Amino acid sequence: MIDTPSRSLPFGTLVAALVTPFTPDGAVDLEATAHLATKLVDDGCDGLVVSGTTGETSTLEDSEKEDLFRVVAETVGDRARVIAGTGTNHTSHSVEMARRAERAGAHAQLVVTPYYNKPSQAGVVAHFEAVAAATELPIMVYDIPGRAGIPIATDTMLRLAEHPRILALKDAKADFAAVTRVLAATDLDVYSGDDGLTLPWMAAGAVGVVSVSVHVATKAFRALVDAAAAGNLEEARRIHFQLDPVVRALMTHLQGAVSAKQVLHLQGVLPSPTVRLPLVEPDEQELAPVLADLADAGSVLPALDGGRGARA
């Protein structure tokens, strides 16, 4: 077990939004998944979200998700929290995925706001309560209006926090005032859902981050989260600035799963950067700004080789 303050937290503190490795022909690569999960935990992650946004959950079959939950739980479940991405925009489907996750050995679940439907806030509450009632798994609520189409209102979040199995919030709407109110008025463990906001959110009382960029600079993110948790803001600020080009590279030029897989492939971690349609791999011109930002990252980023060189 990693020796960090996160042992007692049901979701960890440094949580990777795990990519789903595919073979070149588009099949789920369970061997590569186990290898990646092991590496991330070895390097400092104490939580892994499996089949979340960055895991291309919308293009995975239910049976593939269950296989991923099981493989990751069997591989690192004694050393890190395995958080299953179970949320969909169909409540009964989400309930079914929660049950599959529990059977597969996941420790917790990430449940996103029902997307596309644009339910009322009452509908949002009813959705989360139905999923929470289906299993014993604790829930991290995922508030991401840019993808879901609606935000979770702060009053709604306060109401959800009263449920005994809704224990955390992944905030990806960058509303500091709303997060402050949740931190002040509830016992929820709050996580930054934006890699670049890890430090300010933790300075206000968040416990960590659910991150895409952590895939490629895990040890530096571990140091950032630990420094912020210890109240060493000078050290945390120094690492925050060092990580800025990594966050820019992974989060501003391409879709997160696409950029993360490209860099992991260049680092020699993933055998293939394959994504599933409608996502496509970038061409050289599209990849160039990612590599240009990474060139500014210095020692916080492991070498880009992957058998092809940095191409920068």
Side-chain angles (χ1 to χ4, degrees), residues 24-291:
D25 63 358
V28 172
D29 189 336
L30 294 176
E31 182 179 353
T33 299
H35 171 74
L36 177 60
T38 299
K39 182 183 187 305
L40 289 169
V41 174
D42 286 348
D43 287 347
C45 287
D46 51 5
L48 301 174
V49 168
V50 182
S51 183
T53 305
T54 308
E56 299 175 70
T57 185
S58 58
T59 62
L60 293 173
E61 303 297 335
D62 291 355
S63 60
E64 292 175 323
K65 294 177 185 181
E66 188 170 352
D67 287 344
L68 287 163
F69 301 155
R70 181 172 293 106
V71 164
V72 175
E74 290 175 350
T75 303
V76 298
D78 60 337
R79 298 195 294 143
R81 306 301 290 173
V82 178
I83 305 160
T86 60
T88 72
N89 67 336
H90 181 179
T91 302
S92 64
H93 188 196
S94 303
V95 165
E96 170 62 19
M97 292 313 303
R99 291 171 175 158
R100 285 178 178 245
E102 188 173 50
R103 289 197 301 266
H107 303 121
Q109 55 183 322
L110 177 72
V111 182
V112 70
T113 316
Y115 44 85
Y116 190 76
N117 312 54
K118 291 191 173 182
S120 67
Q121 293 296 303
V124 169
V125 170
H127 174 84
F128 280 103
E129 289 181 342
V131 179
T135 74
E136 297 298 317
L137 297 179
I139 286 178
M140 179 188 292
V141 172
Y142 186 10
D143 187 7
I144 182 167
R147 289 184 182 273
I150 60 167
I152 300 177
T154 304
D155 287 342
T156 300
M157 199 64 240
L158 300 183
R159 180 176 171 186
L160 291 173
E162 297 173 358
H163 194 287
R165 276 193 288 277
I166 296 177
L167 303 183
L169 166 66
K170 176 186 176 184
D171 177 82
K173 65 183 178 188
D175 185 338
F176 191 70
V179 167
T180 297
R181 189 173 168 205
V182 171
L183 286 165
T186 77
D187 292 325
L188 291 175
D189 292 333
V190 175
Y191 294 77
S192 173
D194 292 291
D195 293 2
L197 296 179
T198 305
L199 176 55
W201 259 230
M202 289 193 70
V207 300
V209 61
V210 181
S211 169
V212 178
S213 307
V214 71
H215 280 93
V216 304
T218 315
K219 293 179 181 179
F221 269 99
R222 179 75 265 167
L224 170 63
V225 168
D226 288 348
N232 187 349
L233 294 184
E234 181 178 355
E235 175 67 3
R237 190 182 305 114
R238 182 186 68 81
I239 302 168
H240 169 76
F241 292 147
Q242 285 185 323
L243 281 168
D244 179 61
V246 177
V247 174
R248 292 200 317 267
L250 272 290
M251 304 307 296
T252 63
H253 304 295
L254 302 170
Q255 197 269 2
V258 176
S259 57
K261 285 185 171 183
Q262 287 292 318
V263 179
L264 285 168
H265 183 53
L266 289 170
Q267 288 178 330
V269 177
L270 282 188
S272 169
T274 304
V275 290
R276 281 184 176 174
L277 286 171
L279 300 182
V280 295
E281 292 182 40
D283 59 27
E284 294 285 334
Q285 184 175 0
E286 291 169 326
L287 188 59
V290 175
L291 300 180

Side-chain angles (χ1 to χ4, degrees), residues 5-27:
S6 61
R7 287 189 181 185
S8 62
L9 296 172
F11 305 92
T13 56
L14 183 64
V15 183
L18 194 70
V19 300
T20 299
F22 297 126
T23 62
D25 63 358

